[in-house]
Amino acid sequence: GSGRDRGCDRWDEAACQVEGAEGAEGGNAQEQKSSAEARAEARAESERQKAAQREQHQQREAERLRKIEEAKKRAEENNQARKEEEAKAKKAEAETERRAEDKNQAKKEEDAKATKAEDETSKDVASDCGSCYGAEDLARGIKCCNNCDDVKNAYKTKQWGWPGNDKFEQCKNVREDVTRNPKARTQPCDAYMSCKDCLEVGCGWCISTRRCAPDEAWQCSGENDHIGKIGTHKACPSREEHTQKRAERKREEEAAKQEKVQRDEAELERARARYK
């Protein structure tokens, strides 16, 4: 073979050194290329991680905003439902009051007609045998009622309610105790729609429920709620007292509404704080 195949010792030493340097430079270039590729891959991986983190953050923020909007929407829906319920309640209350007034007016008209008929009947009372106004009872010897006591005894025998002295000719000049002789009750207590009419027939009035009930214990919500012989109050409230009570109830209702709105707003703020 040639001397080149047997090594550099038989060739120019400088040429061998040049060849060795060229081989080293080639190896260094390859290492530098691999290092650059590794750094590029690391940067790309870092960018991918940052992008994933940004996407996760955006998703969490979107979810937080969605929950806040849902809480706000629920609060608005609850507020609207409450307003609708209040409007319905006011409408029902107004309708109830109107019906009560109509019924009370019709009852007054009926009472006026009955009083007129009784007055016309009393004019026919004979001087020698006074009328008992339908309470005559021949089996018990009650035929004539010539004075007020006779009429009262006849009504008592029949177990009829006493409508008042002014309804009888024999009793018009006789003073009576209206607390012991209430107006005759021709209907159940719950048929009377006003406190005045209720007490006039000897029933009791429940303040909280605005209804007429028997003047007995346990009919209303305690003594302070009962107007009558059983309750603390003995007379119906005046118009001024009624207006004042109504104003107080309205103030209490408004305070309760305001308190509920504040609670809803506080709950919404807490929900927002939790999802921040």
Side-chain angles (χ1 to χ4, degrees):
S2 64
R4 182 182 299 273
D5 296 332
R6 290 192 295 270
C8 292
D9 54 344
R10 299 181 62 180
W11 295 91
D12 187 5
E13 185 177 355
C16 286
Q17 291 177 354
V18 169
E19 289 180 358
E22 288 177 353
E25 288 178 356
N28 291 336
Q30 183 65 29
E31 290 178 359
Q32 290 176 358
K33 182 178 180 181
S34 299
S35 177
E37 290 176 351
R39 287 195 299 272
E41 181 65 23
R43 284 195 298 270
E45 180 64 21
S46 176
E47 290 297 329
R48 285 194 294 271
Q49 291 179 357
K50 290 180 180 180
Q53 290 176 355
R54 285 195 299 270
E55 184 177 358
Q56 291 177 356
H57 177 72
Q58 290 174 355
Q59 290 177 351
R60 288 195 297 270
E61 182 67 14
E63 180 67 14
R64 184 181 69 84
L65 294 176
R66 185 185 65 79
K67 290 182 179 180
I68 290 176
E69 289 299 324
E70 288 180 353
K72 184 177 179 180
K73 184 178 179 181
R74 286 195 299 270
E76 291 175 353
E77 290 175 351
N78 293 336
N79 191 30
Q80 181 64 26
R82 185 179 69 253
K83 289 181 179 179
E84 292 176 358
E85 290 178 358
E86 291 172 355
K88 289 180 181 179
K90 289 181 180 179
K91 184 177 180 181
E93 183 180 359
E95 181 66 17
T96 301
E97 291 181 355
R98 185 188 63 79
R99 290 180 180 178
E101 291 176 358
D102 293 344
K103 190 172 183 179
N104 192 29
Q105 182 63 29
K107 179 181 174 300
K108 288 181 179 179
E109 292 176 358
E110 291 178 359
D111 290 344
K113 290 179 182 179
T115 301
K116 184 177 179 181
E118 291 175 357
D119 290 342
E120 292 176 353
T121 302
S122 64
K123 295 179 181 179
D124 299 331
V125 176
S127 59
D128 55 342
C129 183
S131 173
C132 296
Y133 305 93
E136 293 85 353
D137 191 340
L138 298 180
R140 297 184 182 182
I142 301 175
K143 180 180 179 181
C144 301
C145 296
N146 294 324
N147 54 53
C148 188
D149 289 337
D150 291 343
V151 179
K152 288 182 178 180
N153 290 332
Y155 265 64
K156 185 176 181 180
T157 301
K158 287 285 188 180
Q159 296 183 347
W160 291 355
W162 185 249
N165 289 2
D166 60 338
K167 299 298 187 295
F168 305 103
E169 189 67 29
Q170 298 93 321
C171 300
K172 285 186 176 180
N173 296 325
V174 178
R175 185 177 180 181
E176 66 174 332
D177 185 355
V178 294
T179 60
R180 291 185 301 169
N181 296 291
K183 185 179 179 180
R185 178 159 60 88
T186 59
Q187 303 178 78
C189 288
D190 58 6
Y192 297 90
M193 306 303 294
S194 70
C195 179
K196 180 176 179 295
D197 292 340
C198 180
L199 265 61
E200 282 183 353
V201 296
C203 297
W205 183 259
C206 298
I207 300 173
S208 61
T209 55
R210 296 177 58 80
R211 67 182 181 89
C212 188
D215 196 7
E216 302 171 356
W218 311 108
Q219 294 293 329
C220 301
S221 301
E223 294 181 352
N224 291 330
D225 188 51
H226 191 122
I227 300 177
K229 293 183 296 183
I230 301 299
T232 304
H233 310 285
K234 304 301 180 184
C236 297
S238 63
R239 182 178 296 275
E240 291 76 11
E241 292 174 337
H242 183 70
T243 301
Q244 183 179 359
K245 289 292 184 182
R246 177 174 292 181
E248 290 177 358
R249 286 198 300 273
K250 286 185 178 180
R251 286 195 296 270
E252 291 175 356
E253 291 174 359
E254 290 298 329
K257 293 177 185 177
Q258 186 64 28
E259 184 179 354
K260 190 174 187 306
V261 170
Q262 292 176 355
R263 287 200 305 270
D264 292 342
E265 292 177 350
E267 181 64 24
L268 181 59
E269 290 298 328
R270 287 194 293 270
R272 289 174 176 172
R274 284 197 298 268
Y275 294 115
K276 281 184 179 179

